[in-house]
Structures are given as C-alpha cells and as structure tokens.
Amino acid sequence: MRGAVEMLREFGVPHEVRVVSAHRTPDLLFEYAEAAAGRGLRVIVAGAGGAAHLPGMMAAKTVVPVLGVPIAATALQGFDAMLSIAQMPKGVPVGTMAIGAAGAANAGLLAIAMLGTTDAALQEKLVAWRAARRDEVLAQVVGDEVSA
C-alpha cells in the first residue's frame, strides 16, 4: 500500500493511514466506515489479501467511494483477493485495482483523479505528472536511435 501513500504525498493530498481488519477489528471497521463521510473523507483506498473482505465491507458501511487493492498474501498470490474485491454484489460497488504495488500506486492516482474533478490545481498537477511520464517514454534511447 506504500505506492498509494507515496502518490498522495507526491501530490500534496492530505490523507490518513490506518490499519483496519475486517476479520480482526470488525467494530473498528464499522466505526471508521460509518464516520468517513462525516469526517470529510472523499475516497478510501483499502488493501486486502486472502478473502479480502475489507474493501467490500467498507463500501457496505459508507457512501464514500472505495478503491480496493488486492494484496498477494496467500499461496494464490493475490488472485483470490482480486476476485473477492471485484465480485461485489449489485449495490455495493468497489473500484478494483491491480494486485500489489502497481495497484496501490494506481489507486492513489485514481483517488487523485477523482479529487481533481473538483480541485483544478490538483487536476493540473496530475496533467503535468502524466505529461512527465509521457516525456520519459519518448526520451528513451535504444542504441543510437530515439525510440518512438
């Protein structure tokens, strides 16, 4: 989940980091989710492995959008978690990201894009960040030639 935090920090987005477990701290999960909108949270990024109930249960208890990141925590290397997060019943949506580090970073970026819909300065930072990624690709040299 470090990738999500790193993206939020890079863009200067205020955030909080909490460790919550759907199975080991269910009361904390419910309390956190039920209070999320009232505390001003606008998007939640929740990582989970194995049965991966955290993102879905979080989404069931709040109207704040939830992005789920499957974690490779079992012998199935996160595939079980991805299916659990993706297969939510109608009415309880969870945005499902890729497994692991790339999914965490993309969850941070998607949260930034969502927040950018109502924050022009944040959206401009995202536009510039994406342009910089494009320029990195275009600047790559293969042998004596620039790749296209």
Side-chain angles (χ1 to χ4, degrees):
M1 296 306 296
R2 286 184 186 96
V5 173
E6 289 169 2
M7 286 294 125
L8 296 170
R9 284 183 182 151
E10 182 174 339
F11 282 83
V13 173
H15 60 280
E16 61 187 32
V17 178
R18 296 287 306 266
V19 176
V20 178
S21 169
H23 301 108
R24 295 181 184 97
T25 63
D27 295 335
L28 174 59
L29 162 62
F30 281 23
E31 176 186 314
Y32 187 86
E34 289 170 346
R39 291 190 312 107
L41 297 185
R42 298 188 40 217
V43 62
I44 296 170
V45 176
H53 290 125
L54 181 66
M57 290 305 298
M58 188 75 69
K61 298 297 284 182
T62 185
V63 295
V64 173
V66 176
L67 304 176
V69 179
I71 304 298
T74 68
L76 296 176
Q77 295 301 304
F79 188 66
D80 49 347
M82 183 186 67
L83 291 175
S84 178
I85 296 168
Q87 294 297 317
M88 291 301 299
K90 180 180 178 181
V92 187
V94 173
T96 306
M97 308 308 296
I99 298 168
N106 279 339
L109 288 167
L110 183 54
I112 290 161
M114 294 166 72
L115 296 171
T117 64
T118 57
D119 181 335
L122 184 58
Q123 192 172 69
E124 279 303 312
K125 285 183 183 178
L126 183 56
V127 168
W129 188 88
R130 287 185 177 180
R133 302 298 75 74
R134 177 202 61 220
D135 294 347
E136 287 174 357
V137 170
L138 295 175
Q140 291 184 28
V141 176
V142 180
D144 293 333
E145 300 178 24
V146 175
S147 65

